[in-house]
Amino acid sequence: IPTTEKLVGVAHSNGCDVWVIAHGVNNNWFYAWLVDRTGTPSAPVISKVGNIHPGTTGKVGYLKASPDGSKLVAVISGEYLNTTTTRSAVVDLLSFNKLTGEVGFIGELPADQREYGASFSPDNSKLYVVRSGNNNEGCYQYDLSSGDLATIISTKTYISNDSQLGTAQIGPDGKLYITRNNVSFLAAVENPNAAGVACGYNGTAVPLAGRIGGLGLPNNIDALSKNP
C-alpha cells in the first residue's frame, strides 16, 4: 500500500495490542493495522476522512496521537492543491476509536505556511503545531479542552517565532522537545500543559555539545513518555 511518511502507534483499548496507523498517497485514507501480542498485524481498518494527501510534497508532515489515544493530528506540509484553493500546508484534527481503529474528522485547523511537526501535551489538553522552513517559522498552541472546533481555533496562540524549527516530541520528563535544523540546540516547552505563553518556550533548552540538529526526532509513542 503506498503511504506517506506519516506513521504513529496507539494502544488498543484492551491495553495490550497496538494500532499502527498510516496514511495513503493521493487519497484521504487512514490505514489502522491492529498488531497483537504475537506481532501479527490484522488487515487494515480503512477510514476515508479529512483532506487528501497528494503524492508530491503532500507526503511530507507528521501524524501524531494524543497520549490518551483519543485524537490524531495530521499535517500536510508543502504545496497543497484541492478543488478550491492552493495552500502551503494543512492541519487536520481527528478523533480515533481505540476499540475499532476508526478515524473520525473533527475539522481543519488554520495553517500559516510550511507547517511540518505537531504534538499534543502530556495531559491531552493542548496541541502544538510547528512551522519549518526558511521564513515564517515558529510554533503555536491550541487549547482543545472545550471540545468545540470554533472555540479551539479561537485559542490559537504563538509561543515562539524561532527559526529552523522541525518537529516536536514529548520527553520522559514531561517536557515537549522541538528540533532546530542546523542549530546546536534543542528547544523545549517547559510546561506544555499550561495555556498560552505560560507553557514556557525555551529556544536553547538543550545544548548539543557542538553538534548540529536536524528536522526529526525518534518516532516514539507519546503515551509511553507522557509522565515525568
PDB file of all heavy atoms in Angstrom, residues 149-191:
ATOM      1  N   LEU A 149     -14.896  23.009  17.847  1.00  0.00           N
ATOM      2  CA  LEU A 149     -13.894  23.370  16.848  1.00  0.00           C
ATOM      3  C   LEU A 149     -13.699  24.879  16.765  1.00  0.00           C
ATOM      4  O   LEU A 149     -12.557  25.355  16.742  1.00  0.00           O
ATOM      5  CB  LEU A 149     -14.274  22.807  15.481  1.00  0.00           C
ATOM      6  CG  LEU A 149     -13.279  23.100  14.354  1.00  0.00           C
ATOM      7  CD1 LEU A 149     -11.931  22.440  14.634  1.00  0.00           C
ATOM      8  CD2 LEU A 149     -13.837  22.632  13.013  1.00  0.00           C
ATOM      9  N   ALA A 150     -14.779  25.651  16.718  1.00  0.00           N
ATOM     10  CA  ALA A 150     -14.643  27.104  16.598  1.00  0.00           C
ATOM     11  C   ALA A 150     -13.919  27.689  17.803  1.00  0.00           C
ATOM     12  O   ALA A 150     -13.073  28.585  17.667  1.00  0.00           O
ATOM     13  CB  ALA A 150     -16.016  27.747  16.437  1.00  0.00           C
ATOM     14  N   THR A 151     -14.224  27.180  18.988  1.00  0.00           N
ATOM     15  CA  THR A 151     -13.548  27.658  20.190  1.00  0.00           C
ATOM     16  C   THR A 151     -12.084  27.266  20.184  1.00  0.00           C
ATOM     17  O   THR A 151     -11.204  28.062  20.554  1.00  0.00           O
ATOM     18  CB  THR A 151     -14.237  27.101  21.445  1.00  0.00           C
ATOM     19  OG1 THR A 151     -15.614  27.483  21.436  1.00  0.00           O
ATOM     20  CG2 THR A 151     -13.585  27.621  22.707  1.00  0.00           C
ATOM     21  N   ILE A 152     -11.788  26.032  19.755  1.00  0.00           N
ATOM     22  CA  ILE A 152     -10.397  25.585  19.646  1.00  0.00           C
ATOM     23  C   ILE A 152      -9.609  26.514  18.739  1.00  0.00           C
ATOM     24  O   ILE A 152      -8.504  26.973  19.082  1.00  0.00           O
ATOM     25  CB  ILE A 152     -10.331  24.131  19.130  1.00  0.00           C
ATOM     26  CG1 ILE A 152     -10.864  23.169  20.195  1.00  0.00           C
ATOM     27  CG2 ILE A 152      -8.898  23.759  18.736  1.00  0.00           C
ATOM     28  CD1 ILE A 152     -11.085  21.763  19.688  1.00  0.00           C
ATOM     29  N   ILE A 153     -10.162  26.836  17.573  1.00  0.00           N
ATOM     30  CA  ILE A 153      -9.473  27.711  16.617  1.00  0.00           C
ATOM     31  C   ILE A 153      -9.221  29.086  17.227  1.00  0.00           C
ATOM     32  O   ILE A 153      -8.160  29.693  17.022  1.00  0.00           O
ATOM     33  CB  ILE A 153     -10.291  27.808  15.318  1.00  0.00           C
ATOM     34  CG1 ILE A 153     -10.255  26.463  14.574  1.00  0.00           C
ATOM     35  CG2 ILE A 153      -9.764  28.927  14.420  1.00  0.00           C
ATOM     36  CD1 ILE A 153     -11.178  26.394  13.380  1.00  0.00           C
ATOM     37  N   SER A 154     -10.156  29.581  18.021  1.00  0.00           N
ATOM     38  CA  SER A 154     -10.022  30.917  18.615  1.00  0.00           C
ATOM     39  C   SER A 154      -8.918  30.997  19.652  1.00  0.00           C
ATOM     40  O   SER A 154      -8.486  32.095  20.014  1.00  0.00           O
ATOM     41  CB  SER A 154     -11.354  31.341  19.243  1.00  0.00           C
ATOM     42  OG  SER A 154     -11.610  30.636  20.454  1.00  0.00           O
ATOM     43  N   THR A 155      -8.446  29.840  20.150  1.00  0.00           N
ATOM     44  CA  THR A 155      -7.406  29.833  21.182  1.00  0.00           C
ATOM     45  C   THR A 155      -5.991  29.814  20.611  1.00  0.00           C
ATOM     46  O   THR A 155      -5.019  29.779  21.381  1.00  0.00           O
ATOM     47  CB  THR A 155      -7.560  28.617  22.116  1.00  0.00           C
ATOM     48  OG1 THR A 155      -7.303  27.409  21.373  1.00  0.00           O
ATOM     49  CG2 THR A 155      -8.952  28.562  22.730  1.00  0.00           C
ATOM     50  N   LYS A 156      -5.839  29.852  19.309  1.00  0.00           N
ATOM     51  CA  LYS A 156      -4.519  29.783  18.688  1.00  0.00           C
ATOM     52  C   LYS A 156      -3.599  30.866  19.246  1.00  0.00           C
ATOM     53  O   LYS A 156      -3.906  32.053  19.169  1.00  0.00           O
ATOM     54  CB  LYS A 156      -4.646  29.925  17.174  1.00  0.00           C
ATOM     55  CG  LYS A 156      -3.338  29.789  16.409  1.00  0.00           C
ATOM     56  CD  LYS A 156      -3.602  29.877  14.912  1.00  0.00           C
ATOM     57  CE  LYS A 156      -2.336  29.722  14.103  1.00  0.00           C
ATOM     58  NZ  LYS A 156      -2.623  29.798  12.640  1.00  0.00           N
ATOM     59  N   THR A 157      -2.465  30.440  19.828  1.00  0.00           N
ATOM     60  CA  THR A 157      -1.534  31.356  20.478  1.00  0.00           C
ATOM     61  C   THR A 157      -0.115  31.040  20.026  1.00  0.00           C
ATOM     62  O   THR A 157       0.343  29.895  20.152  1.00  0.00           O
ATOM     63  CB  THR A 157      -1.609  31.223  22.013  1.00  0.00           C
ATOM     64  OG1 THR A 157      -2.945  31.469  22.451  1.00  0.00           O
ATOM     65  CG2 THR A 157      -0.672  32.215  22.682  1.00  0.00           C
ATOM     66  N   TYR A 158       0.605  32.053  19.535  1.00  0.00           N
ATOM     67  CA  TYR A 158       2.001  31.857  19.137  1.00  0.00           C
ATOM     68  C   TYR A 158       2.884  31.879  20.370  1.00  0.00           C
ATOM     69  O   TYR A 158       2.814  32.810  21.177  1.00  0.00           O
ATOM     70  CB  TYR A 158       2.416  32.942  18.144  1.00  0.00           C
ATOM     71  CG  TYR A 158       1.746  32.776  16.809  1.00  0.00           C
ATOM     72  CD1 TYR A 158       0.497  33.338  16.570  1.00  0.00           C
ATOM     73  CD2 TYR A 158       2.338  32.026  15.793  1.00  0.00           C
ATOM     74  CE1 TYR A 158      -0.148  33.170  15.355  1.00  0.00           C
ATOM     75  CE2 TYR A 158       1.706  31.852  14.574  1.00  0.00           C
ATOM     76  CZ  TYR A 158       0.466  32.418  14.360  1.00  0.00           C
ATOM     77  OH  TYR A 158      -0.168  32.241  13.157  1.00  0.00           O
ATOM     78  N   ILE A 159       3.693  30.840  20.497  1.00  0.00           N
ATOM     79  CA  ILE A 159       4.588  30.762  21.652  1.00  0.00           C
ATOM     80  C   ILE A 159       6.041  31.005  21.260  1.00  0.00           C
ATOM     81  O   ILE A 159       6.897  31.179  22.135  1.00  0.00           O
ATOM     82  CB  ILE A 159       4.461  29.413  22.376  1.00  0.00           C
ATOM     83  CG1 ILE A 159       4.907  28.261  21.469  1.00  0.00           C
ATOM     84  CG2 ILE A 159       3.037  29.197  22.865  1.00  0.00           C
ATOM     85  CD1 ILE A 159       5.126  26.959  22.218  1.00  0.00           C
ATOM     86  N   SER A 160       6.341  31.018  19.962  1.00  0.00           N
ATOM     87  CA  SER A 160       7.718  31.248  19.508  1.00  0.00           C
ATOM     88  C   SER A 160       7.723  31.640  18.047  1.00  0.00           C
ATOM     89  O   SER A 160       6.904  31.161  17.259  1.00  0.00           O
ATOM     90  CB  SER A 160       8.572  29.993  19.680  1.00  0.00           C
ATOM     91  OG  SER A 160       9.815  30.128  19.004  1.00  0.00           O
ATOM     92  N   ASN A 161       8.652  32.508  17.682  1.00  0.00           N
ATOM     93  CA  ASN A 161       8.933  32.776  16.273  1.00  0.00           C
ATOM     94  C   ASN A 161      10.354  32.390  15.915  1.00  0.00           C
ATOM     95  O   ASN A 161      10.943  32.916  14.971  1.00  0.00           O
ATOM     96  CB  ASN A 161       8.676  34.244  15.930  1.00  0.00           C
ATOM     97  CG  ASN A 161       9.565  35.196  16.719  1.00  0.00           C
ATOM     98  OD1 ASN A 161      10.352  34.764  17.562  1.00  0.00           O
ATOM     99  ND2 ASN A 161       9.453  36.492  16.451  1.00  0.00           N
ATOM    100  N   ASP A 162      10.939  31.454  16.691  1.00  0.00           N
ATOM    101  CA  ASP A 162      12.292  30.976  16.398  1.00  0.00           C
ATOM    102  C   ASP A 162      12.369  30.382  14.997  1.00  0.00           C
ATOM    103  O   ASP A 162      11.395  29.826  14.479  1.00  0.00           O
ATOM    104  CB  ASP A 162      12.722  29.912  17.414  1.00  0.00           C
ATOM    105  CG  ASP A 162      13.391  30.505  18.628  1.00  0.00           C
ATOM    106  OD1 ASP A 162      13.722  31.708  18.604  1.00  0.00           O
ATOM    107  OD2 ASP A 162      13.568  29.778  19.622  1.00  0.00           O
ATOM    108  N   SER A 163      13.541  30.458  14.414  1.00  0.00           N
ATOM    109  CA  SER A 163      13.758  29.932  13.068  1.00  0.00           C
ATOM    110  C   SER A 163      14.201  28.475  13.100  1.00  0.00           C
ATOM    111  O   SER A 163      14.636  27.956  14.126  1.00  0.00           O
ATOM    112  CB  SER A 163      14.824  30.766  12.354  1.00  0.00           C
ATOM    113  OG  SER A 163      16.061  30.662  13.035  1.00  0.00           O
ATOM    114  N   GLN A 164      14.059  27.817  11.943  1.00  0.00           N
ATOM    115  CA  GLN A 164      14.596  26.474  11.715  1.00  0.00           C
ATOM    116  C   GLN A 164      14.035  25.427  12.684  1.00  0.00           C
ATOM    117  O   GLN A 164      14.742  24.513  13.105  1.00  0.00           O
ATOM    118  CB  GLN A 164      16.134  26.485  11.787  1.00  0.00           C
ATOM    119  CG  GLN A 164      16.793  27.393  10.773  1.00  0.00           C
ATOM    120  CD  GLN A 164      16.554  26.959   9.343  1.00  0.00           C
ATOM    121  OE1 GLN A 164      16.288  25.795   9.067  1.00  0.00           O
ATOM    122  NE2 GLN A 164      16.641  27.891   8.408  1.00  0.00           N
ATOM    123  N   LEU A 165      12.778  25.536  13.032  1.00  0.00           N
ATOM    124  CA  LEU A 165      12.156  24.520  13.874  1.00  0.00           C
ATOM    125  C   LEU A 165      11.745  23.322  13.027  1.00  0.00           C
ATOM    126  O   LEU A 165      11.497  23.448  11.817  1.00  0.00           O
ATOM    127  CB  LEU A 165      10.942  25.097  14.605  1.00  0.00           C
ATOM    128  CG  LEU A 165      11.221  26.263  15.552  1.00  0.00           C
ATOM    129  CD1 LEU A 165       9.933  26.709  16.231  1.00  0.00           C
ATOM    130  CD2 LEU A 165      12.268  25.904  16.585  1.00  0.00           C
ATOM    131  N   GLY A 166      11.653  22.153  13.658  1.00  0.00           N
ATOM    132  CA  GLY A 166      11.322  20.931  12.923  1.00  0.00           C
ATOM    133  C   GLY A 166      10.091  20.246  13.460  1.00  0.00           C
ATOM    134  O   GLY A 166       8.976  20.588  13.123  1.00  0.00           O
ATOM    135  N   THR A 167      10.295  19.270  14.325  1.00  0.00           N
ATOM    136  CA  THR A 167       9.159  18.549  14.879  1.00  0.00           C
ATOM    137  C   THR A 167       9.236  18.527  16.399  1.00  0.00           C
ATOM    138  O   THR A 167      10.206  18.990  16.994  1.00  0.00           O
ATOM    139  CB  THR A 167       9.081  17.129  14.332  1.00  0.00           C
ATOM    140  OG1 THR A 167       7.827  16.542  14.714  1.00  0.00           O
ATOM    141  CG2 THR A 167      10.225  16.271  14.871  1.00  0.00           C
ATOM    142  N   ALA A 168       8.186  17.975  17.025  1.00  0.00           N
ATOM    143  CA  ALA A 168       8.071  18.016  18.483  1.00  0.00           C
ATOM    144  C   ALA A 168       7.820  16.620  19.031  1.00  0.00           C
ATOM    145  O   ALA A 168       7.163  15.792  18.388  1.00  0.00           O
ATOM    146  CB  ALA A 168       6.936  18.952  18.892  1.00  0.00           C
ATOM    147  N   GLN A 169       8.331  16.373  20.243  1.00  0.00           N
ATOM    148  CA  GLN A 169       8.194  15.056  20.863  1.00  0.00           C
ATOM    149  C   GLN A 169       8.181  15.207  22.381  1.00  0.00           C
ATOM    150  O   GLN A 169       9.022  15.913  22.943  1.00  0.00           O
ATOM    151  CB  GLN A 169       9.373  14.166  20.457  1.00  0.00           C
ATOM    152  CG  GLN A 169       9.416  12.805  21.112  1.00  0.00           C
ATOM    153  CD  GLN A 169       8.333  11.893  20.593  1.00  0.00           C
ATOM    154  OE1 GLN A 169       8.156  11.777  19.389  1.00  0.00           O
ATOM    155  NE2 GLN A 169       7.608  11.250  21.478  1.00  0.00           N
ATOM    156  N   ILE A 170       7.214  14.562  23.041  1.00  0.00           N
ATOM    157  CA  ILE A 170       7.190  14.555  24.499  1.00  0.00           C
ATOM    158  C   ILE A 170       8.376  13.743  25.018  1.00  0.00           C
ATOM    159  O   ILE A 170       8.628  12.633  24.565  1.00  0.00           O
ATOM    160  CB  ILE A 170       5.878  13.950  25.022  1.00  0.00           C
ATOM    161  CG1 ILE A 170       4.685  14.802  24.585  1.00  0.00           C
ATOM    162  CG2 ILE A 170       5.904  13.834  26.545  1.00  0.00           C
ATOM    163  CD1 ILE A 170       3.346  14.176  24.922  1.00  0.00           C
ATOM    164  N   GLY A 171       9.098  14.322  25.973  1.00  0.00           N
ATOM    165  CA  GLY A 171      10.225  13.629  26.572  1.00  0.00           C
ATOM    166  C   GLY A 171       9.828  12.885  27.830  1.00  0.00           C
ATOM    167  O   GLY A 171       8.725  13.057  28.362  1.00  0.00           O
ATOM    168  N   PRO A 172      10.720  12.048  28.362  1.00  0.00           N
ATOM    169  CA  PRO A 172      10.419  11.269  29.566  1.00  0.00           C
ATOM    170  C   PRO A 172      10.230  12.138  30.808  1.00  0.00           C
ATOM    171  O   PRO A 172       9.699  11.660  31.811  1.00  0.00           O
ATOM    172  CB  PRO A 172      11.637  10.349  29.715  1.00  0.00           C
ATOM    173  CG  PRO A 172      12.716  11.012  28.937  1.00  0.00           C
ATOM    174  CD  PRO A 172      12.043  11.720  27.814  1.00  0.00           C
ATOM    175  N   ASP A 173      10.626  13.420  30.749  1.00  0.00           N
ATOM    176  CA  ASP A 173      10.440  14.342  31.859  1.00  0.00           C
ATOM    177  C   ASP A 173       9.150  15.144  31.745  1.00  0.00           C
ATOM    178  O   ASP A 173       8.895  16.045  32.547  1.00  0.00           O
ATOM    179  CB  ASP A 173      11.636  15.294  31.979  1.00  0.00           C
ATOM    180  CG  ASP A 173      11.896  16.063  30.689  1.00  0.00           C
ATOM    181  OD1 ASP A 173      11.134  15.891  29.713  1.00  0.00           O
ATOM    182  OD2 ASP A 173      12.877  16.838  30.648  1.00  0.00           O
ATOM    183  N   GLY A 174       8.329  14.835  30.734  1.00  0.00           N
ATOM    184  CA  GLY A 174       7.065  15.527  30.553  1.00  0.00           C
ATOM    185  C   GLY A 174       7.170  16.838  29.802  1.00  0.00           C
ATOM    186  O   GLY A 174       6.148  17.479  29.538  1.00  0.00           O
ATOM    187  N   LYS A 175       8.380  17.246  29.441  1.00  0.00           N
ATOM    188  CA  LYS A 175       8.548  18.448  28.625  1.00  0.00           C
ATOM    189  C   LYS A 175       8.363  18.093  27.143  1.00  0.00           C
ATOM    190  O   LYS A 175       8.453  16.924  26.758  1.00  0.00           O
ATOM    191  CB  LYS A 175       9.923  19.059  28.852  1.00  0.00           C
ATOM    192  CG  LYS A 175      10.162  19.540  30.277  1.00  0.00           C
ATOM    193  CD  LYS A 175      11.554  20.132  30.435  1.00  0.00           C
ATOM    194  CE  LYS A 175      11.799  20.563  31.874  1.00  0.00           C
ATOM    195  NZ  LYS A 175      13.146  21.190  32.049  1.00  0.00           N
ATOM    196  N   LEU A 176       8.114  19.113  26.351  1.00  0.00           N
ATOM    197  CA  LEU A 176       7.963  18.923  24.910  1.00  0.00           C
ATOM    198  C   LEU A 176       9.220  19.449  24.229  1.00  0.00           C
ATOM    199  O   LEU A 176       9.559  20.633  24.372  1.00  0.00           O
ATOM    200  CB  LEU A 176       6.732  19.684  24.410  1.00  0.00           C
ATOM    201  CG  LEU A 176       6.340  19.466  22.953  1.00  0.00           C
ATOM    202  CD1 LEU A 176       5.822  18.049  22.747  1.00  0.00           C
ATOM    203  CD2 LEU A 176       5.284  20.473  22.532  1.00  0.00           C
ATOM    204  N   TYR A 177       9.934  18.564  23.527  1.00  0.00           N
ATOM    205  CA  TYR A 177      11.178  18.957  22.868  1.00  0.00           C
ATOM    206  C   TYR A 177      10.950  19.177  21.379  1.00  0.00           C
ATOM    207  O   TYR A 177      10.218  18.418  20.731  1.00  0.00           O
ATOM    208  CB  TYR A 177      12.252  17.907  23.120  1.00  0.00           C
ATOM    209  CG  TYR A 177      12.684  17.886  24.565  1.00  0.00           C
ATOM    210  CD1 TYR A 177      12.085  17.028  25.489  1.00  0.00           C
ATOM    211  CD2 TYR A 177      13.659  18.768  25.023  1.00  0.00           C
ATOM    212  CE1 TYR A 177      12.452  17.044  26.830  1.00  0.00           C
ATOM    213  CE2 TYR A 177      14.038  18.790  26.359  1.00  0.00           C
ATOM    214  CZ  TYR A 177      13.426  17.922  27.249  1.00  0.00           C
ATOM    215  OH  TYR A 177      13.787  17.952  28.576  1.00  0.00           O
ATOM    216  N   ILE A 178      11.583  20.230  20.847  1.00  0.00           N
ATOM    217  CA  ILE A 178      11.399  20.625  19.453  1.00  0.00           C
ATOM    218  C   ILE A 178      12.767  20.748  18.798  1.00  0.00           C
ATOM    219  O   ILE A 178      13.675  21.410  19.332  1.00  0.00           O
ATOM    220  CB  ILE A 178      10.650  21.964  19.346  1.00  0.00           C
ATOM    221  CG1 ILE A 178       9.285  21.868  20.056  1.00  0.00           C
ATOM    222  CG2 ILE A 178      10.457  22.362  17.892  1.00  0.00           C
ATOM    223  CD1 ILE A 178       8.543  23.187  20.131  1.00  0.00           C
ATOM    224  N   THR A 179      12.939  20.123  17.646  1.00  0.00           N
ATOM    225  CA  THR A 179      14.207  20.196  16.931  1.00  0.00           C
ATOM    226  C   THR A 179      14.393  21.568  16.288  1.00  0.00           C
ATOM    227  O   THR A 179      13.430  22.262  15.954  1.00  0.00           O
ATOM    228  CB  THR A 179      14.293  19.129  15.837  1.00  0.00           C
ATOM    229  OG1 THR A 179      13.174  19.269  14.950  1.00  0.00           O
ATOM    230  CG2 THR A 179      14.290  17.736  16.427  1.00  0.00           C
ATOM    231  N   ARG A 180      15.671  21.925  16.092  1.00  0.00           N
ATOM    232  CA  ARG A 180      16.034  23.149  15.368  1.00  0.00           C
ATOM    233  C   ARG A 180      17.065  22.764  14.317  1.00  0.00           C
ATOM    234  O   ARG A 180      18.207  22.427  14.625  1.00  0.00           O
ATOM    235  CB  ARG A 180      16.578  24.208  16.322  1.00  0.00           C
ATOM    236  CG  ARG A 180      15.574  24.605  17.407  1.00  0.00           C
ATOM    237  CD  ARG A 180      16.012  25.835  18.162  1.00  0.00           C
ATOM    238  NE  ARG A 180      16.039  27.000  17.279  1.00  0.00           N
ATOM    239  CZ  ARG A 180      16.479  28.204  17.639  1.00  0.00           C
ATOM    240  NH1 ARG A 180      16.928  28.384  18.873  1.00  0.00           N
ATOM    241  NH2 ARG A 180      16.473  29.206  16.791  1.00  0.00           N
ATOM    242  N   ASN A 181      16.661  22.803  13.067  1.00  0.00           N
ATOM    243  CA  ASN A 181      17.514  22.353  11.976  1.00  0.00           C
ATOM    244  C   ASN A 181      18.716  23.286  11.801  1.00  0.00           C
ATOM    245  O   ASN A 181      18.570  24.511  11.735  1.00  0.00           O
ATOM    246  CB  ASN A 181      16.688  22.325  10.677  1.00  0.00           C
ATOM    247  CG  ASN A 181      17.401  21.609   9.552  1.00  0.00           C
ATOM    248  OD1 ASN A 181      18.051  20.588   9.774  1.00  0.00           O
ATOM    249  ND2 ASN A 181      17.286  22.129   8.343  1.00  0.00           N
ATOM    250  N   ASN A 182      19.906  22.673  11.748  1.00  0.00           N
ATOM    251  CA  ASN A 182      21.156  23.415  11.567  1.00  0.00           C
ATOM    252  C   ASN A 182      21.457  24.358  12.731  1.00  0.00           C
ATOM    253  O   ASN A 182      22.176  25.346  12.567  1.00  0.00           O
ATOM    254  CB  ASN A 182      21.151  24.197  10.250  1.00  0.00           C
ATOM    255  CG  ASN A 182      21.140  23.293   9.044  1.00  0.00           C
ATOM    256  OD1 ASN A 182      21.820  22.264   9.024  1.00  0.00           O
ATOM    257  ND2 ASN A 182      20.359  23.649   8.034  1.00  0.00           N
ATOM    258  N   VAL A 183      20.927  24.061  13.908  1.00  0.00           N
ATOM    259  CA  VAL A 183      21.179  24.849  15.120  1.00  0.00           C
ATOM    260  C   VAL A 183      21.703  23.891  16.184  1.00  0.00           C
ATOM    261  O   VAL A 183      21.293  22.729  16.250  1.00  0.00           O
ATOM    262  CB  VAL A 183      19.885  25.541  15.599  1.00  0.00           C
ATOM    263  CG1 VAL A 183      20.117  26.287  16.908  1.00  0.00           C
ATOM    264  CG2 VAL A 183      19.364  26.492  14.525  1.00  0.00           C
ATOM    265  N   SER A 184      22.595  24.365  17.043  1.00  0.00           N
ATOM    266  CA  SER A 184      23.253  23.485  18.012  1.00  0.00           C
ATOM    267  C   SER A 184      22.494  23.394  19.335  1.00  0.00           C
ATOM    268  O   SER A 184      23.100  23.206  20.393  1.00  0.00           O
ATOM    269  CB  SER A 184      24.689  23.948  18.265  1.00  0.00           C
ATOM    270  OG  SER A 184      24.686  25.277  18.754  1.00  0.00           O
ATOM    271  N   PHE A 185      21.174  23.541  19.298  1.00  0.00           N
ATOM    272  CA  PHE A 185      20.320  23.395  20.478  1.00  0.00           C
ATOM    273  C   PHE A 185      19.031  22.678  20.100  1.00  0.00           C
ATOM    274  O   PHE A 185      18.583  22.752  18.948  1.00  0.00           O
ATOM    275  CB  PHE A 185      19.933  24.765  21.054  1.00  0.00           C
ATOM    276  CG  PHE A 185      21.059  25.536  21.647  1.00  0.00           C
ATOM    277  CD1 PHE A 185      21.778  26.436  20.878  1.00  0.00           C
ATOM    278  CD2 PHE A 185      21.413  25.369  22.982  1.00  0.00           C
ATOM    279  CE1 PHE A 185      22.820  27.161  21.418  1.00  0.00           C
ATOM    280  CE2 PHE A 185      22.455  26.092  23.533  1.00  0.00           C
ATOM    281  CZ  PHE A 185      23.162  26.988  22.750  1.00  0.00           C
ATOM    282  N   LEU A 186      18.435  21.994  21.065  1.00  0.00           N
ATOM    283  CA  LEU A 186      17.032  21.617  21.008  1.00  0.00           C
ATOM    284  C   LEU A 186      16.242  22.661  21.779  1.00  0.00           C
ATOM    285  O   LEU A 186      16.677  23.130  22.840  1.00  0.00           O
ATOM    286  CB  LEU A 186      16.791  20.256  21.662  1.00  0.00           C
ATOM    287  CG  LEU A 186      17.215  18.982  20.931  1.00  0.00           C
ATOM    288  CD1 LEU A 186      16.885  17.779  21.804  1.00  0.00           C
ATOM    289  CD2 LEU A 186      16.519  18.866  19.587  1.00  0.00           C
ATOM    290  N   ALA A 187      15.076  23.023  21.263  1.00  0.00           N
ATOM    291  CA  ALA A 187      14.153  23.866  22.011  1.00  0.00           C
ATOM    292  C   ALA A 187      13.299  22.979  22.912  1.00  0.00           C
ATOM    293  O   ALA A 187      13.218  21.761  22.720  1.00  0.00           O
ATOM    294  CB  ALA A 187      13.272  24.661  21.061  1.00  0.00           C
ATOM    295  N   ALA A 188      12.642  23.593  23.895  1.00  0.00           N
ATOM    296  CA  ALA A 188      11.752  22.846  24.777  1.00  0.00           C
ATOM    297  C   ALA A 188      10.592  23.727  25.206  1.00  0.00           C
ATOM    298  O   ALA A 188      10.738  24.939  25.369  1.00  0.00           O
ATOM    299  CB  ALA A 188      12.494  22.326  26.000  1.00  0.00           C
ATOM    300  N   VAL A 189       9.451  23.096  25.377  1.00  0.00           N
ATOM    301  CA  VAL A 189       8.313  23.724  26.041  1.00  0.00           C
ATOM    302  C   VAL A 189       8.310  23.154  27.456  1.00  0.00           C
ATOM    303  O   VAL A 189       8.060  21.958  27.654  1.00  0.00           O
ATOM    304  CB  VAL A 189       6.999  23.433  25.308  1.00  0.00           C
ATOM    305  CG1 VAL A 189       5.825  24.070  26.036  1.00  0.00           C
ATOM    306  CG2 VAL A 189       7.069  23.944  23.866  1.00  0.00           C
ATOM    307  N   GLU A 190       8.625  23.988  28.438  1.00  0.00           N
ATOM    308  CA  GLU A 190       8.886  23.509  29.791  1.00  0.00           C
ATOM    309  C   GLU A 190       7.627  23.008  30.501  1.00  0.00           C
ATOM    310  O   GLU A 190       7.671  22.066  31.295  1.00  0.00           O
ATOM    311  CB  GLU A 190       9.528  24.631  30.615  1.00  0.00           C
ATOM    312  CG  GLU A 190      10.780  25.250  29.992  1.00  0.00           C
ATOM    313  CD  GLU A 190      12.008  24.379  30.130  1.00  0.00           C
ATOM    314  OE1 GLU A 190      11.951  23.372  30.858  1.00  0.00           O
ATOM    315  OE2 GLU A 190      13.042  24.712  29.494  1.00  0.00           O
ATOM    316  N   ASN A 191       6.486  23.643  30.238  1.00  0.00           N
ATOM    317  CA  ASN A 191       5.223  23.286  30.900  1.00  0.00           C
ATOM    318  C   ASN A 191       4.128  23.129  29.844  1.00  0.00           C
ATOM    319  O   ASN A 191       3.217  23.962  29.760  1.00  0.00           O
ATOM    320  CB  ASN A 191       4.836  24.355  31.921  1.00  0.00           C
ATOM    321  CG  ASN A 191       5.906  24.569  32.968  1.00  0.00           C
ATOM    322  OD1 ASN A 191       6.162  23.698  33.791  1.00  0.00           O
ATOM    323  ND2 ASN A 191       6.542  25.738  32.938  1.00  0.00           N
TER     324      ASN A 191
END
